[in-house]
Amino acid sequence: MSEAVYFEDLDVGAEIPTLVKHPTTRQLVKWAGASGDYNEMHYDKDFAQKHGLPGVIVHGYLTFSFLGIMMTNWIGEKGILKKISCSYRGMHVPGEDIACKGRVTSKYVKNGENYVECDIWAENTKGDKTTPGKATVTLPSRAVVEPGKREGVKGDFGRRLA
Amino acid sequence: MAEASAITEEMKKLMDIEVGPKVYEVEKGMIKKFAEAIEDANPLWQEEKHANKSSYGSIVAPPTFLACFRLQELSDLVVTVKSPLTRILNGGTELEFFQPIRVGDIISVTGKVVDIQERENKSGKMVVTVLELICKNRDEEVARVRNTVVRY
């Protein structure tokens, strides 16, 4: 896990550290079991080929999960992921790297929270953006930590403000 | 004569249906299995000692754990509805978080179709359907999920 990232330290355009994943057919089976998505396209080669695919393909939601890992690694335990989304535009096949990347697109303060919005995406080995999306996080500020006081309140993470 | 809409009457009727609640009890093993499946070593998801001392105060689930709260009945309705457009793609996913998911949460999921739009691109007509799932822990909304299904 990276060091905590603070709101003040980020500028628009700042890059999120890249996360590279290498899904295997074994991981696709693990995903199927853990998520409950038993679509045969992801583990039955004959089935996938009968449906016009070169072979089994990576679950879009697994690629999306890699984007989630990139975000939670980056924001650390004091950052809060408020929203994350993606579109499935291209496929990944097991055995090939997936590179997850992102960039800060805006930052602002709302209801006393420090918001950062990002463009995020996954790339295949050719550099095509297969899975573009967006994420919204809130980050700690360097300014608000009072001496002797704990940062944050237990159980208050992500609570929606009225 | 105006060209017929690609959105059939059967599709429009989907807007009136609410599915659920389907109830999921969050167990420690489920979160561990999920974190292992996505190969996410973050100690907040799996290491009790670490998580208990964190500002979260306990193990929490990684964000895309929401994938586990499936509402197959709703997806089946959208996928099997009568339509001249027979090819289907998973268009995208959007997750919005209000509270972390913790071990012991009892999550009830209700879902409905919130949007059906017709679009056209160079390869022809498409119908984009958005399904929304609301996840509540007991009575508190903890997350909202939107899945997009594209017919073309």
Side-chain angles (χ1 to χ4, degrees), chain A residues 18-38:
Chain A
T18 298
L19 174 78
V20 178
K21 286 288 195 178
H22 191 81
T24 57
T25 47
R26 172 185 284 257
Q27 187 169 22
L28 303 193
V29 173
K30 282 160 72 181
W31 169 269
S35 69
D37 180 353
Y38 293 109

Side-chain angles (χ1 to χ4, degrees), chain B:
Chain B
M1 198 176 87
E3 217 182 321
S5 168
I7 301 173
T8 60
E9 287 305 311
E10 286 83 351
M11 281 176 163
K12 283 181 196 157
K13 280 184 195 147
L14 289 176
M15 299 281 292
D16 305 328
I17 300 167
E18 186 170 303
V19 175
K22 185 168 165 65
V23 178
Y24 292 88
E25 284 191 50
V26 180
E27 295 157 7
K28 198 163 89 180
M30 277 169 76
I31 296 178
K32 181 175 156 61
K33 193 171 155 189
F34 187 87
E36 284 172 358
I38 64 173
E39 295 178 359
D40 184 346
N42 193 323
L44 270 182
W45 325 141
Q46 292 192 60
E47 289 170 30
E48 212 143 34
K49 263 188 180 166
H50 175 93
N52 291 349
K53 278 189 290 184
S54 76
S55 41
Y56 285 88
S58 77
I59 282 182
V60 290
T64 56
F65 183 75
L66 297 176
C68 301
F69 304 141
R70 305 174 65 80
L71 212 51
Q72 195 64 45
E73 197 187 330
L74 182 63
S75 318
D76 288 348
L77 281 172
V78 170
V79 168
T80 56
V81 73
K82 218 174 127 196
S83 164
L85 305 172
T86 53
R87 288 174 296 177
I88 296 172
L89 277 179
N90 182 2
T93 310
E94 180 184 297
L95 309 176
E96 202 175 346
F97 309 98
F98 308 124
Q99 288 294 322
I101 307 286
R102 298 174 194 273
V103 175
D105 281 2
I106 297 170
I107 305 291
S108 62
V109 188
T110 50
K112 57 186 179 183
V113 172
V114 292
D115 194 38
I116 305 181
Q117 297 276 341
E118 183 173 337
R119 291 193 203 152
E120 196 147 4
N121 69 3
K122 53 184 186 294
S123 41
K125 279 185 178 176
M126 294 188 297
V127 174
V128 180
T129 305
V130 181
L131 292 69
E132 184 177 79
L133 308 185
I134 290 175
C135 304
K136 287 184 178 172
N137 175 31
R138 295 163 179 102
D139 285 326
E140 184 180 25
E141 186 172 355
V142 290
R144 200 173 282 216
V145 179
R146 279 177 215 96
N147 294 318
T148 305
V149 176
V150 181
R151 275 179 180 275
Y152 64 106

